């Protein structure tokens, strides 16, 4: 039989189900689920593109209970509401012609408490896994053991209802099922522990309930597989003969396949290290007639057809392919065509390969990535000493470059005694060296440090390429030319750059700060839009007309009607523009001044800014759009009545002239320029600001110098809820999620959901000039931002309202009365005291209770340069200045006297993309 016949002929399982070939995609965790374990659309696509010529896909393990998830981003089957998402995966796989099996598991003592909201994991016994930092689990009671078996049964039912062709019971990887069988983790003295037979009861019970559910809800064609790890290293621990003993018992009850869990299909014993015989050989030699009836699947290290054939020579009936199926979505097809494959991926092809970002960062996958983006790079070799700064430290970093790669990164000066710092430095160093590019994701929890290290490497690369170019006689001072220069790398600038690039223009982004993202990165609530697809999905009835009216009312009727019309009209397509670029804002909340849920934010309820900027940066990198950091645009060059270029000053003080036909000014507002704020609004002297340091209004001056008009300069918004010691903005989504404001006396004093200007005015009118934003555990759980505030130490929490009031030095009788009264309003959905009509979501009664002390801070400058509805900058006579475009907070007029929460993000995407379009059109002319 030739190779293709061996691999690609059909195969019939013991239950009579025919598989079109013997090839399976192995179940591999992608860490791509939503925070609650539901399925993301990225995951559906990941599986869809891998289905087709491979016979069967085993979808990654799904936790059957919310205490059972063993890694971040795990997907779950613990509730009926997970069925529709899982059904999408099954449908996608079936649509391409493969079968779909779902693996189900419970992590037991392998679960990290951090993944289950700080709760203690469960296990057969209160014995921690033998690894550093492992939590000691709580031993399940007999009743709870029965309960978990029941949950496995429910999971099987859900898999059937989601349309899967089968389930694979995950009895391997030291998860709960294996924990019950192991004499190491199971030290129980009841019927579930002790003897080998007792320890086998749990895996057998899980198989029994699986059969029961299949009989009840499916038919004979439904496939039941079981995955096992053959040995454990621990003493005592599972040995190979124990495994055979259990497998014989499982086989006797009926199974359609067994899945041998090994890193390499032909691996020998890890316990008897003197014996080189592959375990599969021993398995085939020792198994009974009954066990031999069950097809056995091998996995580990299969990349080419020859690997699969060798595995089959040793006795495997079925072959599961892991990493090769990640690197080659059409793996089976390639093998069928006789290709010889190498296990690596081009660093620039993540999107093309449909690999979700978390999986791309998974160590086993990351190890397959080869950097191709620097293929053409040439450096002058040497050690480059770079001085950079993170949030807290001056760092000196030595970057060693060879002719074509980054060879080393060393911390020469910095807080090298700080373990946390050194650990994250090591992580970002490894990440950059492995990918051999500074364009890697920052380390979670060490963003500023990671950005500093990335910057040091980028600077060294630029210096060294320049040095090499100079040696090769290239004139670096010759004028550069691009179609479009974008000034500022906030949301408006990035959106404009992407759009202009996508319409064929060459684009340069110039950013004066050391990092990308501007003030947008701090945006919290979300992006407003009416009549969107995501609102329709959620059954939210909205209208553009109402959105217009409410924005106008919120802006005190001062908004420029034409700009506001354009804004409202283009908002839904801006939401779609983001979605098609992988930035999904499909969770919806509300902000002050809006009567309807129309504030779109990431599905997990997290703050919009970081998510938006990282998504936009991903798109910028994918398109290789150049970004010059630490570089200011100091002048817009203007000749013969039109823009001809820009003058830049780099961090090193070098002046560069770039010729261009179009400049898009997206430099943000001027909240961080207190002189300018006070010039227009003397009453705001001494106010803190929520903005980043770069919000200094320089773009307004740049444009004024070429004649631009300005409007509404005195319209400056103060945000009511700013933590004063850190200037940290407490998102409106907390109030939108159900929080209230109380004064130092413990009383509510205003409608919390009124517009920002009105709420701010009321806080300033209080004798103490501050207030507390108060919420309970229910609100916290639904708003990721709240966790960020807790982590930053901004929140005072207590187990009861009384304790909270006492900690805040408040009269607790008054505070309790306030809560009781407010909760009554929630119940009847009517606020008798202050007329709050929105976000009367749930009573504040679930401990712990939280409070943040807040007062207003300067937040947004509504005034700015004048533009028309096509983003062309207008001069004082309201005539177009050819070649000058502006978008985002630098522009005045759209928001009138008060910007509604959620309208700034909408503004930057709507007008940013319009500006990109206009600038690209000009380039074409
Ligand atoms: P928006 O929300 O309108 O996009 P952001 O505040 O998010 O505005 O972004 C504006 C960006 O422009 C900031 O990162 C700021 O540092 C940058 N910027 C401001 N002035 C200049 C300038 N003269 N040259 C280059 N970048 C600038």
């Amino acid at each position: 039989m030739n190779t293709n016949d061996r691999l690609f002929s059909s195969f019939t399982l013991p239950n009579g189900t025919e598989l079109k070939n013997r090839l399976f995609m192995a179940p591999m965790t992608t860490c791509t689920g939503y925070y609650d374990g539901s399925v993301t659309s990225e995951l559906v696509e990941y599986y869809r593109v891998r289905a087709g010529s491979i016979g069967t896909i085993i979808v990654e393990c799904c936790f059957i209970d919310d205490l059972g998830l063993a890694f971040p981003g795990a997907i779950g089957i613990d509730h009926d509401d997970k069925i529709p998402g899982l059904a999408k995966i099954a449908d996608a796989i079936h649509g391409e012609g493969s079968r779909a099996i779902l693996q189900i598991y419970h992590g037991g003592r392998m679960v990290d408490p951090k993944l289950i909201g700080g709760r203690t994991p469960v296990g057969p016994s209160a014995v921690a896994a033998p690894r550093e930092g492992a939590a000691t689990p709580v031993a399940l009671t007999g009743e709870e053991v029965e309960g978990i078996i029941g949950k496995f049964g429910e999971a099987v039912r859900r898999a059937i209802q989601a349309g899967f062709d089968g389930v694979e019971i995950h009895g391997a990887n030291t998860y709960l099922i294996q924990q019950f069988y192991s004499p190491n983790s199971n030290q129980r003295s009841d019927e579930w522990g002790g003897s080998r037979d007792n320890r086998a009861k749990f895996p057998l019970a899980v198989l029994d309930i699986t059969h029961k559910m299949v009989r009840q809800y499916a038919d004979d064609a439904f496939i039941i597989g079981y995955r096992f790890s053959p040995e454990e290293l621990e003493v005592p621990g599972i040995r190979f003969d124990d495994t055979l003993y259990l497998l014989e018992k499982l086989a006797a009850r009926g199974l359609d396949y067994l899945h041998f869990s090994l890193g390499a299909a032909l691996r020998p014993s890890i316990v008897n290290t003197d014996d080189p015989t592959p375990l599969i050989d021993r398995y085939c030699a020792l198994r009974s007639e009954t066990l031999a009836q069950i097809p056995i699947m091998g996995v580990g290290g299969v990349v080419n057809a020859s690997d699969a054939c060798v595995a089959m020579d040793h006795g495997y009936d079925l072959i599961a392919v892991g990493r090769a199926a990640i690197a080659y979505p059409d793996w089976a097809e390639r093998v069928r065509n006789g290709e010889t494959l190498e296990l690596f991926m081009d660093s620039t092809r993540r999107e093309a390969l449909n690999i979700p970002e978390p999986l791309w960062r998974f160590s086993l996958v990351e190890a397959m990535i080869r950097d191709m983006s620097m293929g053409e790079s040439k450096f002058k070799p040497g050690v480059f000493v770079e001085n950079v700064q993170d949030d807290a430290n001056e760092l000196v970093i030595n970057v060693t470059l060879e002719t074509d790669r980054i060879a080393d990164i060393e911390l020469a000066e910095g807080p090298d005694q700080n373990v946390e710092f050194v650990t994250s430095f090591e992580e970002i160093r490894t990440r950059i060296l492995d990918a051999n590019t500074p364009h890697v994701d920052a380390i979670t929890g060490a963003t500023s440090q990671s950005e500093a290290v990335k910057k040091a490497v980028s600077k060294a690369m630029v210096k060294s390429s320049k040095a090499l170019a100079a040696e090769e006689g290239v004139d670096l001072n010759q004028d550069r030319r691009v179609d479009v220069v974008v000034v500022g790398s906030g949301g408006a600038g990035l959106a404009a750059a992407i759009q202009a690039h996508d319409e064929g223009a060459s684009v340069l982004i110039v950013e004066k700060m050391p990092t990308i993202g501007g003030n947008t990165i701090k945006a919290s609530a979300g992006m407003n839009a009416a009549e969107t697809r995501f609102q329709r999905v959620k059954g939210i009835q909205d209208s553009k007309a109402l959105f217009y009216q409410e924005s106008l009312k919120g802006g005190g009727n001062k908004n420029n009607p034409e700009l506001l019309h354009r804004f409202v009209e283009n908002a839904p397509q801006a939401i779609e523009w983001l979605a098609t670029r992988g930035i999904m804002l499909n969770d919806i909340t509300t902000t002050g001044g809006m009567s309807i849920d129309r504030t779109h934010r990431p599905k997990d309820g997290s703050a919009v800014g970081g998510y938006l900027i990282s998504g936009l940066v991903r798109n910028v990198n994918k398109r290789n759009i150049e970004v010059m950091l630490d570089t200011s645009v100091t002048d817009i060059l203007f000749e013969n009545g039109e823009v001809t270029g820009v003058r830049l000053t780099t961090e090193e003080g070098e002046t560069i002239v770039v010729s261009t036909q179009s400049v898009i000014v997206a430099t943000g507002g001027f909240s961080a320029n207190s002189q300018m704020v006070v010039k227009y609004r003397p009453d705001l002297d001494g106010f803190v600001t929520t903005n980043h340091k770069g919000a200094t209004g320089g773009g307004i001056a740049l444009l004024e110098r070429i004649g631009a008009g300005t409007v509404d300069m005195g319209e400056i918004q103060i945000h009511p809820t700013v933590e004063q010691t850190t200037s940290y903005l407490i998102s409106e989504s907390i109030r939108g999620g159900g929080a209230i404001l109380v004064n130092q006396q413990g009383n509510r004093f205003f409608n919390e959901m009124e517009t920002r200007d009105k709420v701010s005015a009321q806080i300033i009118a209080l004798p103490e000039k501050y207030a507390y934003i108060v919420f309970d555990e229910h609100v916290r759980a639904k708003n990721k931002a709240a966790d960020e505030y807790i982590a930053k130490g901004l929140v005072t929490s207590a187990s009861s309202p009384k304790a909270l009031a006492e900690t805040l030095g408040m009269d607790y009788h008054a505070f309790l009365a306030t809560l009781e009264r407010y909760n009554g309003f929630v119940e009847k959905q009517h606020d008798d005291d202050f007329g709050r009509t929105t976000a009367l979501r749930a009573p504040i009664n679930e401990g712990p209770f939280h409070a943040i002390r807040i007062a207003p801070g300067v937040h947004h400058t509504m005034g700015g340069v004048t533009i028309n509805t096509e983003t062309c900058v207008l001069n004082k006579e309201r005539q177009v200045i050819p070649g000058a475009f502006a978008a985002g907070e630098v522009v005045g007029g759209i928001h009138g006297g008060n910007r509604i929460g959620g309208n700034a993000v909408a503004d930057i995407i709507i007008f940013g993309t319009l500006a990109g379009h206009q600038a690209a059109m000009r380039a074409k002319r």
Side-chain angles (χ1 to χ4, degrees), residues 487-488 490-492 510-513 518-520 633 666-668 692 888-889 908:
V487 196
V510 184
E511 168 58 57
K512 70 174 181 178
M513 300 301 283
N519 208 55
T520 305
V633 171
T667 49
H692 84 137
E889 198 175 338
I908 59 184

Side-chain angles (χ1 to χ4, degrees), residues 114 390 392-393 395 411 414-429 443-450 453 791:
K114 274 194 250 149
D390 73 4
N393 313 289
L395 312 176
L411 181 65
D416 50 9
Q417 302 302 318
N418 175 336
V419 179
E420 224 171 284
F421 182 93
V422 172
T423 313
S424 43
F425 178 83
E426 217 20 69
E427 277 181 58
I428 188 74
R429 173 183 175 274
I443 305 297
T444 314
T447 315
S448 144
Q449 182 199 355
S450 304
V453 179

Side-chain angles (χ1 to χ4, degrees), residues 105-179:
Y105 83 118
H106 188 304
R109 70 172 185 174
M110 295 300 285
V111 172
D112 184 332
K114 274 194 250 149
L115 296 172
I116 51 174
R119 291 174 293 171
T120 309
V122 296
S125 303
V127 180
R131 58 173 187 176
E132 212 174 311
T136 303
V138 180
L140 292 160
T141 62
E143 208 175 313
E144 285 165 343
V145 175
E146 303 278 1
I148 298 241
I149 293 165
K151 287 185 177 181
F152 269 103
E154 287 297 279
V156 174
R157 171 184 59 78
R158 291 179 190 123
I160 294 166
Q161 289 170 344
F164 282 88
D165 301 293
V167 288
E168 180 174 290
I169 300 166
H170 198 338
N173 294 18
T174 70
Y175 291 150
L176 188 67
I177 296 179
Q178 183 175 336
Q179 285 160 31

Side-chain angles (χ1 to χ4, degrees), residues 349-680:
R349 299 198 66 235
R350 184 184 73 78
E351 276 97 353
L353 293 169
N354 262 289
I355 298 179
E357 184 77 34
L359 178 61
W360 188 248
R361 293 276 155 243
F362 208 77
S363 53
L364 281 177
V365 173
E366 215 173 32
M368 294 195 281
I369 303 172
R370 276 193 207 160
D371 185 36
M372 310 301 270
S373 63
M374 300 217 315
E376 295 301 310
S377 300
K378 288 278 177 289
F379 302 124
K380 182 178 161 70
V383 179
F384 295 81
V385 181
E386 300 299 343
N387 296 289
V388 283
Q389 193 159 14
D390 73 4
D391 266 354
N393 313 289
E394 298 273 347
L395 312 176
V396 180
I397 294 177
N398 295 343
V399 182
T400 309
L401 298 174
E402 289 181 4
T403 48
D404 59 350
R405 67 189 189 95
I406 308 161
D408 200 7
I409 306 164
E410 185 205 354
L411 181 65
E413 276 175 43
D416 50 9
Q417 302 302 318
N418 175 336
V419 179
E420 224 171 284
F421 182 93
V422 172
T423 313
S424 43
F425 178 83
E426 217 20 69
E427 277 181 58
I428 188 74
R429 173 183 175 274
T430 313
R431 205 171 264 193
I432 294 173
L433 290 177
D434 283 353
N436 227 259
T437 165
H439 304 301
V440 296
D441 279 359
I443 305 297
T444 314
T447 315
S448 144
Q449 182 199 355
S450 304
E451 293 304 333
V453 179
K454 284 161 64 174
K455 184 175 164 197
V457 176
S458 302
K459 281 170 74 175
M461 286 163 65
V462 170
K463 268 192 207 162
S464 128
S465 322
K466 278 189 182 168
L468 185 70
E471 268 181 11
E472 290 172 352
V474 178
D475 178 9
L476 293 170
N477 290 326
Q478 75 185 23
D479 253 12
R480 289 195 53 184
R481 203 196 146 80
V482 290
D483 292 334
V484 181
V485 172
V486 175
V487 196
S489 70
L494 297 177
I498 293 165
Q499 182 63 31
H501 172 278
D502 289 356
E503 293 189 42
S506 59
V507 182
L508 169 68
I509 304 174
V510 184
E511 168 58 57
K512 70 174 181 178
M513 300 301 283
T515 49
I516 290 189
N519 208 55
T520 305
I521 213 162
K522 295 179 138 202
S524 53
M527 170 164 167
N528 290 342
E531 298 185 28
T532 68
R533 169 163 62 107
F534 299 131
Q535 281 181 316
R536 280 196 294 280
V537 167
K538 288 191 185 293
I540 299 168
Q541 297 273 343
D542 197 1
S543 79
K544 290 176 179 170
L546 188 63
F547 182 22
Y548 180 92
Q549 282 311 326
E550 291 180 349
S551 296
L552 188 65
K553 180 167 174 241
N557 284 306
K558 291 183 184 162
N559 318 51
N560 175 318
E562 288 168 359
L563 291 179
L564 188 60
H565 266 298
R566 183 34 89 84
F567 169 85
V568 165
E569 202 46 50
N570 285 30
Q573 76 201 49
I575 292 275
E576 288 302 321
W577 186 91
L578 290 172
T580 53
R581 283 157 183 83
I583 302 166
M584 302 292 282
L585 300 179
N586 53 353
D587 185 48
I588 308 181
T589 180
T590 191
T591 59
M594 300 270 116
S595 69
I596 286 186
D597 281 359
R598 61 167 73 101
T599 309
H600 295 64
R601 62 178 179 174
K603 168 76 187 172
D604 65 359
S606 60
V608 70
Y611 174 76
L612 177 68
I613 291 296
S614 64
L616 291 171
V617 168
R618 218 171 37 238
N619 277 278
V620 164
N621 288 343
K622 193 166 119 186
R623 291 163 173 79
N624 274 327
I625 299 173
E626 187 182 355
V627 186
M628 293 178 77
L629 294 177
D630 281 317
T631 305
S632 293
V633 171
T634 50
D635 286 294
I636 298 174
L637 306 178
F638 196 73
E639 276 170 40
N640 303 326
E642 63 178 3
V643 168
T644 56
V646 289
R647 188 174 293 118
L648 318 177
T649 305
T650 67
E651 193 188 10
E652 277 82 27
E654 207 183 342
T655 301
I656 301 173
V657 169
V658 179
S659 305
T660 187
Q661 282 175 290
S662 308
V663 58
I664 300 174
V665 177
T667 49
F670 59 93
S671 291
N673 183 340
S674 54
Q675 268 182 327
M676 202 164 160
V677 168
V678 174
K679 173 178 162 198
Y680 293 106

